[in-house]
Amino acid sequence: MATYVCPKDGTRAETTALTWCCPLCRGPWDLDFEPSAPLAPDSLSGRVNSLWRYTEALPLGPPTATLGEGRTPLVPLTPTVSAKLDFLMPTLSFKDRGAVMLAELARRLAPERAIADSSGNAGTAVAAYCARASLPCTVYVPEGTSPKKTEQIRAHGARLEIVPGDREATARAARAAADVPGTFYASHVFNPYFLHGTKTYVYELWEDLGGRLPDAIAVPVGNGTLLLGAALATAELHAQGLIDRRPKLVAVQAAAVSPLAAAFHAGADDLPDVPADVPADTAAPTLAEGIAITRPPRARAILAAVRESGGTFLTVTEEQIRAAQRDLAARGFYVETTGVACWAAVGDRTDREIVVPLCGAGLKTGLAP
C-alpha cells in the first residue's frame, strides 16, 4: 500500500487521508511506492491503448475516471529530434496524465469538494476529470489567464475563481481553501499521484522506441511535474533492467522567469530562502505562462533530478518562443506558447537523439503577437 512521505522531514500519512501537505513543514508529499511487478514488454500488445496499459507501474487502477488519455504519437522533426504530441490529449495538454490520477484518487476518497489551482491547463484537466468522476470542482486561476482556457474550465462544469495577481498569488489562495475540512486538493504540485501520472510519458517513449530511451529528454519546467515524472520513470525502468542507461534530462525555462536555471548554474541545491516579511516575487511577463513559476515547491527535487541525470538547464527568450511557435506551425503543429519552449531551446541544433514534448494545443492561447 502506497503512503505519503515528506522528503524533508520523513513525516508519513495514509493516502486515504485528505492531508494535502506535510503538517510539519507544509511542503509537498512524495509517494512511498514501488511497481507491483516487473513490466513485461511482450505483454503490452494486447492491453488497453491508454496510459493505463502500464498498470504494474501505477499506484492506482483499474480506473473509472478515464477519458482514454495517453499513447500520443511520437514523430520526427529532424534526424535527431522527435516530438511527443501530448497536445493531442483529451483536454489538449499533457496535464491529463496526472489529472486522471488525482480524479481517480478523489473519486475513491469521496470528498465534499475538489479544488485545484492552475495557469490554465492543469485546471482544465482537473475540471474535465472531476466531471468524469462526478465530483464538484473549483478551479483557481490568475487574472489574465487565457479566456479560451477559462471557457474550457467552465464548460466542464467547474466553478471558476479568478484571483488578482500572478500564479503564485493563485496558489496561495487555493492552499488556504485546501485547509477547509472535506476538501480534496487536486494539486498537480503537492500531490505526488500527479507525478506518477506524468511518468507514463517516458514509459510510452520507452515502448515507442522499442525498449530503449533517447540520449536526452527535454521538458519545460515551471513546477517541474513532467520532469519529476520523467525522473521517476527512468529510475523505475533502470531498476527493472529495462534500460541500461538513464537519459539526460534537459530542463527548459523562459529567460524572463528562470529561477531554477539560475540556481542550477550557480551550483545551488535549492532556491534561496526568502524572509517571511519579504513580499513574494511577482513573475515577469512571458509568453510561456505555464512555466512562469518564481518559487516552485519542489525546487530541490527538480535541481537534484537534472544533476543526477547529467543534464542541464536551458533558457529561451520571448523572441525564440515566437519563432518556435511559427516554425512548428509551418511544419503542421499548432502548439501553445508554453508548449513550444523545448523546441525553441533545442531546434535543429543538436547531434544527439532527443525528444521534446509539444505539451498544449495552440487553440488554448492562439498565435503569439
Side-chain angles (χ1 to χ4, degrees):
M1 178 70 71
T3 58
Y4 292 134
V5 58
C6 176
K8 185 174 182 179
D9 56 40
T11 299
R12 288 180 174 268
E14 297 300 321
T15 57
T16 52
L18 295 178
T19 307
W20 63 269
C21 68
C22 173
L24 296 183
C25 70
R26 300 283 287 181
W29 293 118
D30 281 349
L31 196 65
D32 187 354
F33 167 80
E34 293 183 2
S36 61
L39 191 64
D42 58 1
S43 73
L44 295 174
S45 61
R47 296 190 180 187
V48 61
N49 193 36
S50 74
L51 62 81
W52 296 96
R53 67 199 280 109
Y54 311 111
T55 181
E56 298 93 332
L58 297 175
L60 290 174
T64 294
T66 178
L67 295 168
E69 54 287 333
R71 299 298 292 141
T72 55
L74 180 67
V75 298
L77 294 176
T78 75
T80 57
V81 181
S82 295
K84 182 85 165 138
L85 308 189
D86 262 24
F87 69 90
L88 298 180
M89 287 287 219
T91 76
L92 308 182
S93 90
F94 87 93
K95 296 290 177 60
D96 291 4
R97 294 185 183 277
V100 68
M101 300 295 290
L102 297 183
E104 182 63 24
L105 177 61
R107 185 192 67 79
R108 299 178 187 200
L109 299 180
E112 294 176 24
R113 69 195 68 82
I115 68 169
D117 59 291
S118 168
S119 59
N121 284 342
T124 296
V126 169
Y129 284 94
C130 281
R132 184 68 167 168
S134 300
L135 290 168
C137 177
T138 299
V139 179
Y140 290 72
V141 299
E143 61 183 356
T145 298
S146 165
K148 297 179 181 180
K149 293 181 180 180
T150 57
E151 177 184 353
Q152 191 177 3
I153 291 170
R154 286 193 176 104
H156 291 307
R159 175 185 171 193
L160 194 67
E161 289 283 352
I162 299 177
V163 180
D166 64 4
R167 181 66 182 83
E168 294 297 322
T170 302
R172 290 193 297 272
R175 291 167 198 165
D179 286 328
V180 175
T183 301
F184 178 83
Y185 185 21
S187 172
H188 62 293
V189 181
F190 277 77
N191 194 305
Y193 277 86
F194 194 94
L195 307 180
H196 284 267
T198 61
K199 77 182 182 184
T200 60
Y201 175 89
V202 170
Y203 275 89
E204 290 179 18
L205 288 181
W206 167 79
E207 184 180 358
D208 290 341
L209 293 173
R212 64 178 185 85
L213 289 174
D215 299 324
I217 298 172
V219 287
V221 173
N223 278 309
T225 56
L226 184 54
L227 184 136
L228 292 173
L232 277 172
T234 57
E236 290 174 357
L237 289 166
H238 190 262
Q240 294 178 56
L242 296 173
I243 54 173
D244 57 11
R245 58 170 180 78
R246 296 167 66 172
K248 298 179 187 300
L249 298 177
V250 177
V252 179
Q253 294 203 289
V257 186
S258 52
L260 290 166
F264 180 87
H265 292 298
D269 294 329
D270 204 346
L271 298 181
D273 291 332
V274 177
D277 59 349
V278 174
D281 293 339
T282 298
T286 176
L287 293 168
E289 61 181 13
I291 53 174
I293 308 297
T294 57
R295 295 199 64 81
R298 295 186 185 271
R300 176 178 286 273
I302 295 166
L303 291 166
V306 174
R307 285 203 176 94
E308 288 170 6
S309 76
T312 191
F313 271 82
L314 303 175
T315 60
V316 290
T317 66
E318 301 302 290
E319 188 50 47
Q320 286 176 308
I321 293 170
R322 289 188 185 90
Q325 189 187 35
R326 285 170 168 77
D327 179 66
L328 284 170
R331 296 168 184 261
F333 305 104
Y334 190 36
V335 184
E336 70 170 332
T337 45
T338 299
V340 307
C342 291
W343 177 242
V346 176
D348 57 2
R349 299 177 295 278
T350 180
D351 58 0
R352 60 182 173 174
E353 185 185 22
I354 189 167
V355 173
V356 301
L358 304 187
C359 296
L363 295 174
K364 286 175 171 281
T365 57
L367 198 64

